[in-house]
């Protein structure tokens, strides 16, 4: 059984609503979101939060697309037909690689494993679709449409399972997508450790120890990124950025290219933070 533990504390990524809005092709844009999803899942991000980088004119159409593709990919493949009808903007979703997170098993097998399920009928006996050939029945009332985590194994030719609460599963079950119309300064207020990724920040090797200690001591951490057009320092000003964030870090000191794309900065930054605190 492939198992990857859920992080001990909340670990969120904040991205601008306008992410990838400059990409004209639906195919290319879909592929970029697929890459984004893989990075988020690889480093066990809890929530990806899209903030309004232009609060006066939030790009709601663009962020709606980002949200749908990200949530589509974070849904177990055997549940997608039930939850996502055929629509033009998901035309290229079939080209995207699967996340292969622990709750998206490739097959049934005999090993005990976790998998995502969908309640397709509620009542005194709830019916759950979990990609096991036929729906499962459980003598407990669940609301129709609710997603659940199941712990499953085969015993004597039959499937034995139990529903496990999300907060007790201990397994990484993917990210959740949140959209807020708040600007970046407001969106980070509830976090105990607020990290800004910025080219004008402190070089990561100069703040490695304080960054490591901050990550280990925080139960609610966020890592924020700017947009293609405006970095965080442009949105908040350098002084404002340092007031809002606990740490401002340049995770790519002496970069060899003129500009680093947001999705690239995300991958590089999360890899470093995961090395400093893999928990």
């Amino acid at each position: 059984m492939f198992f990857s533990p859920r992080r001990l504390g909340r670990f969120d990524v904040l991205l601008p609503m306008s992410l990838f809005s400059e990409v004209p092709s639906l195919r290319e844009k879909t592929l970029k979101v697929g890459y984004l999803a893989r990075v988020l899942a690889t480093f066990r991000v809890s929530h990806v939060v899209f903030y309004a980088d232009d609060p006066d004119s939030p790009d709601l159409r663009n962020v709606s697309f980002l949200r749908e593709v990200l949530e589509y990919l974070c849904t177990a493949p055997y549940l997608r037909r039930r939850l996502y009808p055929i629509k033009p903007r998901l035309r290229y979703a079939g080209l995207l690689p699967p996340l292969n997170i622990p709750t998206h098993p490739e097959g049934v097998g005999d090993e005990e494993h976790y998998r995502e399920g969908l309640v397709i009928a509620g009542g005194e006996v709830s019916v759950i679709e979990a990609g096991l050939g036929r729906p499962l029945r459980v003598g407990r009332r669940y609301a129709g449409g609710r997603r659940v985590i199941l712990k499953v194994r085969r015993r004597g030719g039959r499937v034995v399972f139990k529903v496990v609460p999300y907060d007790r599963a201990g397994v990484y079950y993917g990210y959740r997508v949140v959209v807020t119309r708040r600007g970046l300064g407001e969106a980070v207020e509830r976090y105990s450790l607020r990290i800004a990724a910025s080219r004008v920040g402190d070089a990561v090797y100069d703040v490695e120890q304080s960054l490591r200690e901050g990550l280990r001591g925080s139960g609610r951490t966020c890592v924020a990124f700017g947009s293609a057009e405006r970095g965080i320092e442009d949105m908040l000003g350098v002084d404002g950025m340092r007031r809002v964030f606990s740490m401002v870090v340049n995770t790519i000191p002496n970069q060899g290219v003129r500009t680093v794309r947001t999705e690239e900065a995300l991958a590089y930054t999360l890899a470093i933070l995961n090395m400093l605190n893999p928990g």
Side-chain angles (χ1 to χ4, degrees):
M1 172 182 76
F2 168 60
F3 179 87
S4 182
R6 189 165 57 97
R7 287 186 179 271
L8 298 177
R10 183 157 165 172
F11 184 74
D12 294 358
V13 163
L14 273 67
L15 297 170
M17 279 189 184
S18 64
L19 183 67
F20 305 144
S21 60
E22 77 284 359
V23 180
S25 161
L26 177 63
R27 185 179 188 276
E28 183 184 356
K29 192 171 183 177
T30 303
L31 292 174
K32 281 181 171 287
V33 180
Y35 174 78
L36 176 68
R38 288 281 298 178
V39 173
L40 295 170
T42 296
F43 296 108
R44 295 173 295 140
V45 168
S46 309
H47 296 75
V48 53
V49 181
F50 289 101
Y51 65 87
D53 42 323
D54 184 359
D56 294 329
S57 181
D59 198 339
L60 299 179
R61 181 177 181 181
N62 184 69
V63 79
S64 173
F65 172 78
L66 299 177
R67 180 175 199 160
E68 186 162 33
V69 177
L70 286 171
E71 290 181 339
Y72 174 89
L73 287 170
C74 208
T75 300
Y78 49 80
L79 297 179
R80 290 174 184 168
R81 288 188 178 181
R82 287 184 177 272
L83 294 170
Y84 293 92
I86 295 174
K87 57 177 64 177
R89 69 179 184 177
L90 290 178
R91 183 183 315 155
Y92 298 110
L95 299 176
L96 302 179
L99 294 189
N100 284 333
I101 56 179
T103 52
H104 295 184
E106 293 181 336
V108 180
D110 294 327
E111 289 187 333
E112 185 175 75
H113 65 279
Y114 292 92
R115 63 173 52 229
E116 184 181 25
L118 174 70
V119 179
I120 57 176
E124 295 298 329
V125 175
S126 299
V127 182
I128 301 174
E129 175 56 57
L132 293 168
R134 60 182 181 180
L136 305 173
R137 296 179 181 273
V138 58
R140 186 172 177 181
R141 184 182 294 273
Y142 290 105
R146 177 177 172 178
R147 296 198 203 187
V148 295
I149 293 180
L150 303 174
K151 194 171 186 179
V152 180
R153 64 176 300 179
R154 287 192 179 276
R155 182 186 298 165
R158 64 189 184 93
V159 174
V160 179
F161 71 95
K162 65 177 180 178
V163 179
V164 183
Y166 277 87
D167 59 349
R168 297 181 189 173
V171 66
Y172 180 65
Y173 49 77
Y175 50 77
R176 296 293 179 262
V177 184
V178 178
V179 175
T180 177
R181 294 196 183 198
R182 293 181 175 185
L184 180 56
E186 292 181 271
V188 302
E189 288 177 348
R190 59 183 176 172
Y191 295 97
S192 55
L193 178 63
R194 302 179 295 276
I195 302 171
S198 171
R199 188 172 182 174
V200 301
D202 301 315
V204 65
Y205 45 72
D206 288 334
V207 294
E208 177 183 343
Q209 188 57 36
S210 56
L211 190 56
R212 188 193 306 270
E213 292 172 357
L215 288 167
R216 290 182 176 177
S218 172
R220 295 177 67 88
T221 299
C222 73
V223 189
F225 298 83
S227 68
E229 299 298 327
R230 300 168 67 208
I232 296 177
E233 65 277 7
D234 299 314
M235 298 179 196
L236 302 177
V238 175
D239 292 338
M241 176 175 63
R242 292 198 175 272
R243 283 196 304 270
V244 168
F245 287 92
S246 314
M247 303 185 72
V248 181
V249 184
N250 179 359
T251 54
I252 319 168
N254 302 319
Q255 65 189 54
V257 294
R258 185 174 295 108
T259 57
V260 176
R261 296 171 180 172
T262 303
E263 66 271 27
E264 295 170 340
L266 175 69
Y268 307 152
T269 301
L270 294 188
I272 292 171
L273 298 183
N274 189 67
M275 178 189 69
L276 295 178
N277 182 35

